[in-house]
Every structure is written in C-alpha cells, then in structure tokens.
C-alpha cells in the first residue's frame, strides 16, 4: 500500500468519474475503484431505453474500456464494501479482507424502492436498476405477452415505450392523478399520456395495485377497485432510495443522502461523496436536494476528485435531465419546484414538439423541452445567467 491511496466505493457514473478525474487532477498515487456489479461499469440510462428494446448491446454501454482503466492505473475491484472504519481508515469487504485508504469517495448510488404489497416475490415480478435486471426482463418479455408496469414516472414510461416497441401488451398503473406528477406540469403529463395511448399503451392514473397474484409465477394484478389485470410480467418503477447505510453506520452525517458541502466533502474531511447517494445544499434553490441524474453525478464526482487532490472546485452547474420515449426526446433544464406559472411554446394537445417553461415570480426556473434541442440550450443559458425574459419572448423562441 502506498502512502496515499484513494478508494472509491461504487463503480458507476459517479465512482468512475471520481477515478478518472483524480488522474486528470494529477493524483499520481493508487486509485482503487470498488464495484459490486461484477461487470465493466456501464451507462445506466440506456437500460430502460435502447438496451431494453434490444437496440444496443452490453458492450456498447461500457463507460470506459478495460484498457482505459489499466492505462490510467485505476484498479477495478469486484467486491462489496460492508463497513468503513474511519478511525483505522480502512474498509472491510464482504470477503472479510480489509483495505486501507487515505482518501475515500462514497458513490454507492441508489436502489429501487420496494413495493409493499403481497405477491412481489413471485417469479415474473421485476425492478429495473441494473443490466442484470434488464437481461432477466428481456428473457421474460415475449412479444404478445402482457406486462403491467407499476409507476408512471420516467422509468415506468420509458420501460412501457421499450416493451411496446417489442410487441408486448403494456399497461401502466399510476397511483397519482397523472403520470410524471412529481416532476412536470399537467400539460406535460397529459402530453405523455396522449402519446403513450396513441402507441397502444393502456395508461391508468389514480389507480393503485393491491396485490400480485399467481401460483409461483405472476398471473394477475389485483387493483384496489377490485379489477384484476392478467399479467405475464410485472415491472415496478416507483422510485429509488439512496444507499446510505454504509455511510450512516460509519457515523457520517446522513439525511436522505450523504450530506455533502459545495466541495462534495462529507462531515469527515477525508471522505467525499457524489451521485445519487449524496444530498447537497443548492444555493439556487435554497434547500438541500438529492439529485438522481447522470449530469449531476458527473459534476459532483469531478468536484469530489478535485477536493481529494487538494484543488477544490465548487458544485455549481444547473441540474438537467433527459428521457427518451418512442420518438420523443425530452430534455429538462433546471428544477421546476415552486413554479407559479407555465408558458407554453407549441401546442402539447396537437404537436409532437413543444416547450413548457416554468416561471417563479417572473423568473424562468425550468423548462421541459420535447423534441426542441434549441429551446433546451436557450433555457439552460437563461436560467443559469438568471436573465430576465418576458412571456412573449418565451412563446416566440426560435425552435429547431
Ligand atoms: P449508481 O448508478 O446507482 O451506482 C452505484 C454503484 O455502487 C452500483 O453499481 C452499486 O451496485 C454500487 N454499490 C453500492 N454499494 C456498494 C458497496 N457497499 N460496495 C460496492 N459497490 C457498491 N439519469 C439521467 O440523467 N438520464 C436518464 O435518462 C436516466 N435514465 C435512467 C434509466 C434507468 C433505468 C435508471 C435505473 C436510471 C436512470 N437515470 C437517468 C439515473 C442515473 O442512472 C443515475 O442518476 C446514475 O446512475 C447515478 O450514478 P451513481 O454512480 O451515483 O449511482
């Protein structure tokens, strides 16, 4: 062991970026990247999109090649970290071995929230977080088969689109009154419902699932109004929970996520955190937020690596996201929390491209851009620069 080993727990978007950025920041000592998925780290977003619909292979998902890690002297270790001994500065692995660290990055991500109803243990019931999950779903997803998707958020809708494209009979069950309720305006929810229904997806809102029934294998889904839906498979997409137990057990400050400051530092000066497991006070929004997105994981990871390397940077970027469903490319700039007005550019009840701008006290705070890449770029700039815009300007934006 050298005198300054940096160890990263979690080998996905955040963890890989920490390791890569450490080298870019001039860290010359050991870098050990520990992941428990037994695969070369991969892009997660295509899992519910191109990978599920069979349009890309697993090889195409790799974040970096095996040669890249070797060349950068990033040691990939296939293992699970079971505890962090901060006093002794060492990690305990599932094998019982220990590993010393000088600097540690916690990038443990998130896991699917479990559906607490009877029958979720039946064969044919899936969650979708990992490549292995998708491989199992693909084996079970036979054209003409019936799938019930529980949850009308991004993952549920993307999964619905991909499986519909594979020729399955798809039903989406959403407990809220509209899909994407937590993240978009009613106009955007209605648009996605319309597009999914047009493609033959049975979208049911204000509906909840009471039990999954079958004889070893799922056979039907029982709704709370008593209706039963026949199902060959069920996919649950009702959100995620951060993997914070390791950090919490080690005594780090955790509150719905590992709490980090503007430099991605945790309550321990030798430990940083980044990605879906981390929560950060965002000056722009005046509160702590745990983001679940690749761009945020990447930015926090770059800042975390800089902190380890002693060249502190600050987390500042505007959050942004994307989602692909059928031929629809949604790009989201900013967070719309607390919006008090919506300005539409285009007609979501008729068109397949439009932008929904979100304003709070006359300021543009977020935009959902559907098949409108130029509106997305425009919105990112305006929101970042806090430029004032008038409604007429928004309604008249030049579009792609
Ligand atoms: P994760 O990707 O969750 O990775 C954490 C890793 O740490 C995992 O490999 C986990 O197994 C490992 N780990 C955890 N604990 C331990 C331990 N104790 N020891 C060793 N290893 C451990 N975001 C977007 O921006 N756009 C999208 O279109 C989009 N689509 C998505 C589609 C799907 C199906 C999913 C599941 C997510 C999607 N996301 C999308 C979200 C995005 O993938 C996450 O924000 C991103 O993966 C976060 O990266 P992360 O490295 O923080 O965490």
């Amino acid at each position: 062991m050298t005198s300054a080993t940096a160890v990263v727990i979690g080998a996905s978007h955040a963890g890989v970026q920490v390791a890569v950025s450490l080298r870019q920041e001039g860290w010359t000592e050991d870098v050990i990247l520990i992941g428990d998925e037994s695969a070369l780290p991969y892009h997660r977003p295509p899992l519910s999109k191109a990978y599920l619909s069979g349009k890309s292979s697993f090889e195409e998902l790799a974040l970096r090649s095996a040669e890249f890690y070797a060349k950068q002297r990033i040691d990939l270790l296939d293992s699970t970290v079971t505890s962090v001994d901060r006093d002794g500065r060492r990690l305990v692995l599932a094998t019982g071995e220990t590993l010393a660290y000088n600097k540690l990055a916690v990038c443990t991500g998130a896991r699917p929230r479990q559906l607490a109803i009877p029958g979720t243990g039946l064969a044919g019931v899936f969650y979708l977080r990992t490549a292995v999950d998708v491989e199992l779903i693909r084996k079970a997803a036979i054209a003409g088969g019936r799938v019930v998707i529980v949850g009308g958020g991004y993952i549920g809708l993307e999964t619905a689109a991909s499986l519909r494209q594979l020729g399955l009979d798809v039903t989406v069950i959403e407990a809220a009154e509209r899909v994407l309720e937590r993240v978009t305006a009613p106009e955007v929810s209605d648009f996605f419902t319309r597009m999914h229904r047009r493609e033959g997806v049975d979208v049911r809102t204000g509906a909840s699932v009471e039990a999954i029934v079958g004889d070893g294998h799922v056979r039907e889904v029982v709704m709370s109004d008593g209706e039963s839906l026949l199902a060959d498979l069920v996919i649950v997409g009702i959100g995620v929970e951060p993997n914070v137990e390791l950090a919490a057990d080690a005594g780090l400050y955790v509150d719905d996520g590992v709490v980090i400051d503007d430099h991605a530092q945790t309550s321990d000066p030798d430990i940083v955190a980044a990605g879906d497991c981390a929560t950060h006070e965002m000056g722009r929004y005046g509160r702590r937020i745990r983001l679940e997105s690749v761009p945020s994981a990447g930015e926090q990871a770059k800042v975390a690596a800089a902190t380890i390397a002693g060249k502190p940077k600050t987390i500042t970027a505007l959050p942004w996201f994307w989602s692909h469903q059928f031929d629809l490319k949604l790009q989201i700039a900013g967070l719309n929390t607390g919006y008090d007005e919506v300005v539409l550019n285009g007609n979501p009840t008729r068109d397949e491209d439009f932008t929904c701008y979100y304003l709070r006290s006359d300021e543009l705070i977020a935009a959902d851009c559907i098949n409108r890449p130029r509106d997305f770029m425009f919105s990112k700039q305006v929101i970042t620069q806090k430029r004032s815009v008038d409604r007429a300007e928004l309604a008249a934006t030049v579009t792609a």
Side-chain angles (χ1 to χ4, degrees):
M1 192 66 53
T2 57
S3 60
T5 298
V7 177
V8 184
I9 311 174
S12 180
H13 289 277
V16 168
Q17 188 61 57
V18 170
V20 171
S21 296
L22 275 170
R23 289 295 179 233
Q24 287 165 349
E25 294 290 349
W27 181 267
T28 56
E29 306 293 344
D30 287 356
V31 176
I32 301 174
L33 177 57
I34 309 175
D36 62 1
E37 288 196 60
S38 304
L40 208 55
Y42 56 89
H43 287 274
R44 214 172 281 287
L47 293 186
S48 46
K49 311 175 182 79
Y51 193 50
L52 180 58
S53 59
K55 290 182 193 139
S56 67
S57 65
F58 184 69
E59 289 64 41
E60 289 171 284
L61 301 192
L63 281 168
R64 305 278 180 165
S65 66
E67 297 72 42
F68 173 88
Y69 296 106
K71 207 166 153 203
Q72 294 291 315
R73 291 190 303 108
I74 295 168
D75 289 337
L76 281 176
L77 183 60
D78 176 9
S79 191
T80 304
V81 178
T82 53
S83 65
V84 178
D85 167 9
R86 287 165 56 207
D87 293 335
R89 284 203 193 166
R90 50 185 205 128
L91 308 177
V92 180
L93 308 180
T95 54
E97 291 164 283
T98 59
L99 185 67
Y101 70 84
N102 297 88
K103 298 288 179 183
L104 184 66
V106 177
C107 303
T108 46
R111 59 179 180 267
R113 180 170 298 130
Q114 303 293 299
L115 183 63
I117 59 167
T120 52
L122 290 168
V125 179
F126 300 95
Y127 291 85
L128 201 168
R129 182 76 191 176
T130 67
V132 172
D133 293 336
V134 175
E135 279 143 28
L136 294 171
I137 292 170
R138 273 170 57 176
K139 271 197 198 121
I142 296 158
R146 286 163 299 209
V147 55
V148 172
I149 297 172
V150 183
Y154 289 123
I155 302 226
L157 292 181
E158 289 180 358
T159 302
S162 297
L163 292 180
R164 189 73 198 118
Q165 286 168 326
L166 288 178
L168 278 90
D169 186 354
V170 182
T171 303
V172 173
I173 310 289
E174 169 54 57
E177 288 309 313
R178 55 188 176 88
V179 299
L180 301 174
E181 188 183 61
R182 206 170 50 88
V183 282
T184 65
E187 291 85 344
V188 180
S189 299
D190 292 348
F191 170 79
F192 277 99
T193 298
R194 176 169 75 86
M195 298 314 278
H196 275 262
R197 284 186 177 149
R198 193 186 73 176
E199 297 293 335
V201 177
D202 180 2
V203 180
R204 300 181 181 209
T205 54
S208 62
V209 177
E210 202 155 274
I212 303 172
V213 180
D215 210 355
H217 192 283
V218 53
R219 190 183 59 240
E220 57 195 90
V221 172
V222 181
M223 312 286 293
S224 34
D225 65 3
E227 191 187 358
S228 269
L229 303 174
L230 290 175
D232 301 304
L233 64 154
V234 173
I235 300 173
V236 181
I238 54 169
V240 297
E241 285 170 3
N243 292 323
V244 292
E245 292 74 8
L246 202 62
D249 291 349
L252 294 178
Y253 179 27
V254 167
D255 182 11
D256 176 49
V258 183
V259 178
I260 55 171
D261 67 10
D262 285 349
H263 308 296
Q265 190 156 319
T266 66
S267 52
D268 180 326
D270 290 323
I271 305 181
V272 292
D276 282 16
C277 71
T279 180
H280 167 236
E281 177 78 36
M282 299 187 75
R284 182 188 299 280
Y285 300 104
R287 65 193 173 92
R288 213 162 46 212
I289 301 177
R290 191 177 60 74
L291 296 163
E292 294 162 9
S293 86
V294 166
S296 302
E299 198 214 3
Q300 290 175 0
K302 287 178 188 166
V303 171
T307 297
I308 292 178
K311 301 174 183 174
K313 292 181 177 159
T314 306
I315 302 168
T316 54
L318 182 75
W320 66 275
F321 310 87
W322 75 91
S323 176
H324 296 171
Q325 299 163 39
F326 301 110
D327 290 331
L328 307 168
K329 292 197 180 342
L330 165 67
Q331 291 167 296
I332 304 157
L335 302 178
N336 66 12
T337 327
Y339 75 90
D340 50 33
E341 188 182 346
V342 149
V343 175
L344 292 173
N345 186 307
N347 183 345
T349 62
R350 183 196 62 206
D351 304 336
E352 286 180 36
D353 69 296
F354 72 98
T355 292
C356 176
Y357 293 106
Y358 297 90
L359 280 73
R360 188 178 55 210
S361 312
D362 294 331
E363 185 188 329
L364 181 65
I365 55 165
D368 294 339
C369 312
I370 290 101
N371 291 341
R372 292 278 189 98
R374 286 178 64 177
D375 284 4
F376 174 65
M377 297 312 291
F378 164 84
S379 305
K380 262 177 104 176
Q381 265 179 18
V382 171
I383 301 168
T384 304
Q385 294 164 4
K386 289 181 166 277
R387 247 172 59 201
S388 64
V389 282
D390 63 31
R391 286 152 189 76
E393 187 188 355
L394 294 181
T397 310
V398 182
T399 59

